[in-house]
Amino acid sequence: MKVISVIGYKNTGKTTLVTRLVQELSKLGRVGTAKMMLDHRLDDPKTDTGKHFDAGADMVTAVTNSELVSIQRDPSIEKAIDALADAGMDFAVVEGAKDSTIAKILLGDIDEDVQNVVARLPARSEWNLGELVDVIREQPDHVTLDLLLKQIKETPGIEKVGGIGSFTGIVRVDNEDFRTSQLEFESYKTAADTSIQKIREEIMQQEGIIDVLIHHKVGTIKPLEDIVYIVVAAGHRQQLFPALAETLERVKSEVPIWKKEITVDGNFWVHDHA
């Protein structure tokens, strides 16, 4: 899923640009949006859903004839984006979130330091939507396990599948002789993508394997956060589990991605650590 944020001060045209981007991106796939509304409360305490929430429910879901709305505690833009990916969106357009690390389109001038601005545009103007769509499509994919599971269920030949297996690698904290504070992964993206595709294609040549999806994150990953996802669809479990294990081992040994351990006692690249 490609993610972009539209930011700017009030009356710069953020909502107008978001709606126009949604119209254009909808021609290419499924689009979800998120809007930062930090000073608002959506569940009126006088409504039934508000009463449920105030009674202590961690999550309240309201179902109408045309809508399904969920309200939950501990909100964050990261959770919102994960939810859109889990729902199978191809694109996520966020209005606001200037303090996040998301790629951003900035409207007008802003008197703040902002990370990851990929386009700067005049406020309330005739924007070139085609160029902006191209910029969005160039952004890295935001991937969740649920997104991969949805994608693999849409693969051609899914009617032959008798089982789907997945592996999720996470950041382990307790490593016997040291404790990990975080991991940093670096890669040569083109070479890594080529290697992953080669592994995928070769595993799919095995008898009974219908599809294989692989995603390995790069950058800084915190304790217990996800690192790698592997999903395999096969006709039978006897074919599925060996293919899943082989895919994992090949990703670890063949894909040019390097891991740096950040520990409480110091840092080291994994290949340098005995």
Side-chain angles (χ1 to χ4, degrees), residues 60-127:
V60 177
T61 300
V63 183
T64 74
N65 290 332
S66 59
E67 300 169 320
L68 186 151
V69 180
S70 293
I71 303 165
Q72 56 185 307
R73 299 185 187 279
D74 301 321
S76 70
I77 190 59
E78 291 78 17
K79 289 182 180 179
I81 292 172
D82 282 347
L84 293 175
D86 289 346
M89 298 298 106
D90 298 300
F91 301 95
V93 183
V94 179
E95 183 173 340
K98 62 180 174 58
D99 295 327
S100 72
T101 58
I102 303 167
K104 300 174 184 68
I105 298 170
L106 172 60
L107 296 181
D109 297 321
I110 192 167
D111 299 326
E112 301 172 59
D113 291 328
V114 180
Q115 299 182 54
N116 203 10
V117 175
V118 296
R120 296 176 180 269
L121 303 175
R124 295 191 172 278
S125 179
E126 290 298 323
W127 306 295

Side-chain angles (χ1 to χ4, degrees), residues 86 143-150 166-168 226 229-231:
D86 289 346
V143 176
T144 64
L145 178 59
D146 280 355
L147 176 60
L148 295 183
L149 290 170
K150 286 182 181 297
S166 69
F167 172 84
T168 302
D226 298 344
Y229 303 123
I230 299 172
V231 181

Side-chain angles (χ1 to χ4, degrees), residues 191-204 212 214 255:
D193 290 348
T194 300
S195 180
I196 286 174
Q197 183 62 21
K198 178 175 182 289
I199 294 169
R200 177 175 182 262
E201 292 174 353
E202 291 179 356
I203 296 294
M204 286 175 60
V212 178
I214 305 165
V255 178

Side-chain angles (χ1 to χ4, degrees), residues 11 51 91 122 188:
N11 296 323
K51 292 175 182 177
F91 301 95
Y188 293 132

